[in-house]
Amino acid sequence: MSEPRPRSAAADPLAEDDAALLARAVVALQRHAEPLREVGALFTDAGHELYLVGGSVRDALLGRLGVDLDFTTDAHPEAVQRILRPWADGMWDTGIDFGTVGAARQGHRVEITTFRADTYDRVSRNPQVRFGERLDDDLIRRDFTVNAMAVRIDPAAPGGIGEFVDPLNGLAALRARTLDTPSAPEVSFGDDPLRMLRAARFVSQLGFTVAPRVRAAIEQMAPELGRITAERIAAELDKLLLGADPVAGIDLMVETGMGEQVLPEIGAMRMAIDEHHQHKDVYQHSLTVLRQAIDLEAGEPDLVLRWAALLHDIGKPATRRHEEGGGVSFHHHEVVGAKMARKRMRALKYSKQMVDDVSQLVYLHLRFHGYGDGRWTDSAVRRYVTDAGPLLSRLHRLVRADCTTRNKRRAARLQANYDDLEQRIAELAAKEDLARVRPDLDGNEIMQLLGIPAGPQVGRAWNFLKELRMERGPLDRDEAEAELLKWWNAEGGSTV
């Protein structure tokens, strides 16, 4: 199990007592006082109850509440639409089959769901929707107790904030940083297996751990994730990777058997020994690279970089070879890994762009190690930049993150070599357009000079000029035409 990152007590809201946590939530909710009072008054006037619920209450207690607010009510969806229509600038009903109506006004987004008391068919994760009549019935059907707290919206109360409702001791679980289920975990996960993967996501996002009974149920029921669509799996994996500590979430996923169901290539890396012998296995090395890549991010979390960091060495188990003298090699693991990354991400129904970007970074991550002590030609530098294309800045971060040796001298040498490579890229870029290395003649000019129509011959000529441009840099027009004619004659062509 990976070691958790240390917490700063001063920045930890859960170091406070219950009264202080509730006070923190009130402060967070007061920033939304206007929509809370307005929407609360609409439902009160219509004779209905309205509660802030779920992640919104949890995040208010943690001091991380955003602009999206989730509510539950005894009003049925059609009534919710009638109540909200005079208030909302816009409304949507994409979740109305499950009792959810969404609306937005002046930058605030609300989703309001009718009390639910669903039953499940235990074949898919789709519930047989049944509306409930009591808040308690709604709360007990939720995934975890930290998401089963509510705040009554009372327009007559300060800021529209009424009583705090916690029948399942969610606040205590929050204080303990524990994910537990409102009902028996076997029942909860049997109803919706995606909740198991959601536990790993919350471990990453919130820094919580799972209760022992929850972990035991996940270990037993992980194969049930086979009932979940690839798209829903991918959405949870993305949220996990974008969390504050994705390594903790990945560890839970792998150690409980969930990883074998949704991302088996990650757990398989535990069987490979890293060639530098500085980590227990390639799995731990990859988690370290992920952490270091996150530390190198500029601004917002970079999902493509994080996926590439996690998957960059997945080709090692398939390419492991024991050499004479006790050594281990992983020749061409970047080529095999890129193919494996592409196959897995396609199976998870990622976009073509996402698949291409992640697999290309996996493919390129090892190329820098041929740089040595700055012995690359300008041509090799151009190819490195051209092959990376718009991924170059991510490739820089991935390669730097991939340095996990504990040998300080070797680590310093690797970083100095990469500093040198980046400096050479900058120097070449100052002389020529490295971001768009193209032949010095375009297709029309090639056809005119050679007297040939559009077709495969033009493509071959264009590729020759592209390779020439890579090798020698920009040529003036006369030189480019002379080289093209020399190549054309050598190929047996003739001009007209």
Side-chain angles (χ1 to χ4, degrees), residues 8 49 91 107 112 117 130 151 161 174 186 246 266 272 368 381 392:
S8 166
E49 301 174 46
M91 295 177 61
I112 302 177
R130 182 166 62 88
V151 173
I161 304 166
L174 192 80
E186 293 80 5
I266 303 304
F368 159 71
V381 175
L392 183 62

Side-chain angles (χ1 to χ4, degrees), residues 22 49-54 57 61 72 134-137 139 145-153 161-171:
L22 291 170
E49 301 174 46
L50 184 68
Y51 295 88
L52 193 72
V53 75
V57 178
L61 289 161
T72 189
R134 301 186 317 127
L135 175 65
D136 285 3
D137 293 335
L139 295 180
T145 57
V146 295
N147 296 329
M149 298 176 281
V151 173
R152 186 182 182 93
I153 304 305
I161 304 166
E163 66 175 319
F164 174 67
V165 183
D166 183 19
L168 298 162
N169 297 316
L171 185 59

Side-chain angles (χ1 to χ4, degrees), residues 392-448:
L392 183 62
S393 63
R394 287 185 172 116
L395 183 59
H396 288 334
R397 294 185 179 94
L398 177 59
V399 172
R400 289 187 182 277
D402 194 25
C403 176
T404 61
T405 177
R406 295 175 185 174
N407 184 317
K408 292 183 179 180
R409 184 174 297 178
R410 184 170 186 273
R413 185 173 68 251
L414 287 170
Q415 296 296 348
N417 283 347
Y418 208 82
D419 288 342
D420 184 68
L421 175 57
E422 287 202 59
Q423 179 62 32
R424 287 190 61 192
I425 291 171
E427 290 171 355
L428 270 179
K431 300 174 184 177
E432 53 188 271
D433 184 6
L434 286 183
R436 193 168 178 267
V437 176
R438 298 180 63 80
D440 297 286
L441 304 176
D442 64 24
N444 289 327
E445 291 168 327
I446 291 170
M447 288 188 289
Q448 183 177 1

